[in-house]
Amino acid sequence: MTLTVGFDLDMTLIDSRPGIHACYLALAERTGTFIDADLAVTRLGPPLAEELVHWFPADRIEAMSDLYRSMYPAIAITATPAMTGAREAIAAVREAGGRAVVVTAKYEPNAELHLAHLGIEPDALIGNLWAEQKAVALREQGASVYVGDHVGDVRGARTAGALSVAVPTGPCDAAELRAAGADVVLDDLTHFPAWLTSYSAAVAARA
């Protein structure tokens, strides 16, 4: 079977804090509504609506989500760098003869813009899925490993029956990720290629 590794996007492959921070400030200015952008970027991971409910009434969430997403490409894409080791992690999967797929809660068209801007080319991109919902895409893609930074990513991996590899580069620290059930916790993605080599050798030895 071909090795398929899934990756989360925000705070796993990309440092989306600068772009999201700028977009929240722009949304606040556009709507005249206070948004604590500094606070918002400390809890990235869940869907956009789960953050907007802190700043807007329930009956405005859909409209504000649409407005934010329409503003996002012009504000957030170029402001967002790749996480250290992201490109090398994708390359390591390819060098192992595998497929690298991105499964994210981010609005898929904007996720695609991020990847294109940074020159990161996964074999598949599936957006708009959070936590356990990610298991649907992971199963469809045949992913045996899922890499993410949030306890929601751990839950998604475990629901899919995939090995959960976690990096504490987002809002969740290593202890939280382990407590949520992560099988492996790496300091960051720079450690992923060596881990994958070891993991692939162990799988081959069992075959």
Side-chain angles (χ1 to χ4, degrees), residues 31 36 70 81 110 132 163 169 174 196 207:
T31 61
D36 187 340
S70 71
N110 288 342
E132 288 85 355
L163 192 78
T169 49
L196 184 64

Side-chain angles (χ1 to χ4, degrees), residues 33 35 46 57 67 69 71-72 75 82 92 106-107 117 120 128 130 141 152 163 168 198:
T33 300
I35 298 173
L67 178 58
R69 287 169 175 155
M71 298 167 67
Y72 192 95
I75 296 170
K106 187 176 286 296
Y107 179 57
H117 174 71
I120 297 174
N128 309 303
W130 164 239
Q141 293 294 322
L163 192 78
S198 175

Side-chain angles (χ1 to χ4, degrees), residues 13 21 23 27 32 39 50 62 67 84 90 96 104 116 125-126 159 170 188 202:
L13 292 176
H21 189 278
C23 203
L27 182 64
L39 176 59
E50 292 191 23
E62 184 174 355
L67 178 58
T84 302
I90 299 292
T104 175
L125 165 64
I126 303 95
T159 302
D188 56 40

Side-chain angles (χ1 to χ4, degrees), residues 8-10 14 16 20 23 45-49 62 64-73 77 102-115 125-130 134:
D8 175 51
L9 184 63
D10 286 6
I14 65 173
S16 50
I20 289 176
C23 203
L48 173 62
E62 184 174 355
M64 292 302 99
S65 296
D66 290 344
L67 178 58
Y68 174 95
R69 287 169 175 155
S70 71
M71 298 167 67
Y72 192 95
I77 302 301
V102 174
V103 181
T104 175
K106 187 176 286 296
Y107 179 57
E108 189 171 308
N110 288 342
E112 187 172 1
L113 290 174
H114 276 299
L115 294 169
L125 165 64
I126 303 95
N128 309 303
L129 297 175
W130 164 239
K134 293 185 174 187

Side-chain angles (χ1 to χ4, degrees), residues 7-102:
F7 291 89
D8 175 51
L9 184 63
D10 286 6
M11 303 312 300
T12 300
L13 292 176
I14 65 173
D15 184 353
S16 50
R17 290 171 297 187
I20 289 176
H21 189 278
C23 203
Y24 277 132
L25 291 180
L27 182 64
E29 182 177 3
R30 178 86 170 262
T31 61
T33 300
F34 172 73
I35 298 173
D36 187 340
D38 292 338
L39 176 59
V41 297
T42 67
R43 49 195 186 196
L44 299 180
L48 173 62
E50 292 191 23
E51 180 61 41
L52 293 180
V53 296
H54 295 290
W55 316 111
F56 297 95
D59 62 356
R60 297 188 67 198
I61 298 304
E62 184 174 355
M64 292 302 99
S65 296
D66 290 344
L67 178 58
Y68 174 95
R69 287 169 175 155
S70 71
M71 298 167 67
Y72 192 95
I75 296 170
I77 302 301
T78 59
T80 299
M83 295 293 282
T84 302
R87 293 182 178 87
E88 293 81 358
I90 299 292
V93 175
R94 299 264 171 71
E95 288 165 9
R99 298 173 63 249
V101 302
V102 174

Side-chain angles (χ1 to χ4, degrees), residues 148-168:
D149 68 283
H150 199 284
V151 294
D153 299 322
V154 176
R155 299 202 309 268
R158 296 185 68 84
T159 302
L163 192 78
S164 171
V165 177
V167 284

